[in-house]
């Protein structure tokens, strides 16, 4: 048996990652349906514009078909990329920690929250969701109406501001 050797000072030990206090998922249908519809409508309009421009140009049939094919492939690639990014973003839940909130990989400390106002637009009414404006361009979007998180969030903000105002903080 070899004696155990102490860890070298160059090896850093990372502290354990703090688990979130609460994880708030987005309503995926609400997050994705409007995006899909928008991509589809804009894609159709864009392709019709290409077809109109091609019909006004004096091109041979083979050249026109080649341009139509290339533009359709390019358009479908852009739509597929947009849908992939929308799905990726919709799968990111909002994570509440003791002193901050993680929104799409950005930290927002509770003491920096200016306001907590709820908003519900037409899409939100259709899908029974709402959004919360936190100020500083931070929003919690696509929250199910069955999850009332504003009071919980306000408690976090009040606690963080009380802790900050305590002497010795």
């Amino acid at each position: 048996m070899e004696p155990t050797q102490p860890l070298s000072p160059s090896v850093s030990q990372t502290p354990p990652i703090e688990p979130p206090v609460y994880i708030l998922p987005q309503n995926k249908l609400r997050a994705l349906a409007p995006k899909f519809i928008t991509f589809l409508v804009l894609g159709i309009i864009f392709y019709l514009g290409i077809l109109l421009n091609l019909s006004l140009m004096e091109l041979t049939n083979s050249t026109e078909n080649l341009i139509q094919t290339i533009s359709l492939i390019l358009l479908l690639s852009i739509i597929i990329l947009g849908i992939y990014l929308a799905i990726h973003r919709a799968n990111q839940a909002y994570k509440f920690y003791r002193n901050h909130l993680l929104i799409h990989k950005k930290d927002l400390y509770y003491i920096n929250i200016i306001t907590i106002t709820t908003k519900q637009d037409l899409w939100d009414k259709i899908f029974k969701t709402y959004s919360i404006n936190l100020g500083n361009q931070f929003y919690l979007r696509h929250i199910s109406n069955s999850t009332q998180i504003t009071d919980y969030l306000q408690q976090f903000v009040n606690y963080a501001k009380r802790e900050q105002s305590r002497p010795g903080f």
Side-chain angles (χ1 to χ4, degrees):
M1 292 247 178
E2 294 180 17
T4 58
Q5 298 202 4
L7 288 175
S8 125
S10 64
V11 176
S12 65
Q13 295 181 355
T14 57
I17 298 173
E18 174 188 8
V21 176
Y22 184 72
I23 297 176
L24 177 65
Q26 296 184 61
N27 182 319
K28 289 176 184 51
L29 185 61
R30 163 60 180 100
L32 295 175
K35 293 280 187 193
F36 289 153
I37 292 169
T38 302
F39 286 140
L40 185 63
V41 169
L42 290 177
I44 290 171
I45 291 171
F46 182 72
Y47 192 66
L48 289 176
I50 291 172
L51 292 179
L52 177 65
N53 282 326
L54 287 177
S55 68
L56 297 175
M57 299 171 86
E58 294 180 12
L59 298 173
T60 63
N61 281 342
S62 63
T63 306
E64 189 173 325
N65 288 339
L66 178 65
I67 293 172
Q68 285 178 355
T69 304
I70 291 172
S71 63
L72 185 61
I73 290 170
L74 178 65
L75 182 64
L76 289 175
S77 300
I78 292 170
I79 290 173
I80 289 170
L81 177 64
I83 289 172
Y84 169 77
L85 292 174
I87 290 171
H88 178 70
R89 190 170 179 101
N91 284 327
Q92 291 180 343
Y94 303 116
K95 295 180 181 176
F96 292 78
Y97 293 91
R98 274 187 335 99
N99 62 350
H100 69 282
L101 177 63
L102 188 65
I103 304 173
H104 302 299
K105 298 183 181 180
K106 293 180 185 174
D107 286 328
L108 174 63
Y109 288 88
Y110 296 125
I111 58 173
N112 295 332
I113 292 178
I114 297 170
T115 181
I116 299 175
T117 54
T118 60
K119 185 185 102 161
Q120 192 174 38
D121 61 13
L122 178 64
W123 286 109
D124 286 325
K125 289 177 184 175
I126 292 171
F127 291 101
K128 295 179 176 70
T129 60
Y130 66 99
S131 298
I132 300 175
N133 181 359
L134 302 174
N136 295 329
Q137 302 297 318
F138 282 96
Y139 295 90
L140 299 178
R141 299 185 194 273
H142 321 302
I143 304 168
S144 174
N145 280 346
S146 62
T147 307
Q148 293 300 321
I149 197 75
T150 52
D151 293 335
Y152 188 64
L153 185 58
Q154 188 64 54
Q155 288 176 357
F156 272 122
V157 171
N158 293 341
Y159 177 76
K161 289 183 179 179
R162 264 194 323 267
E163 288 295 312
Q164 181 186 22
S165 66
R166 280 186 30 207
F169 181 66

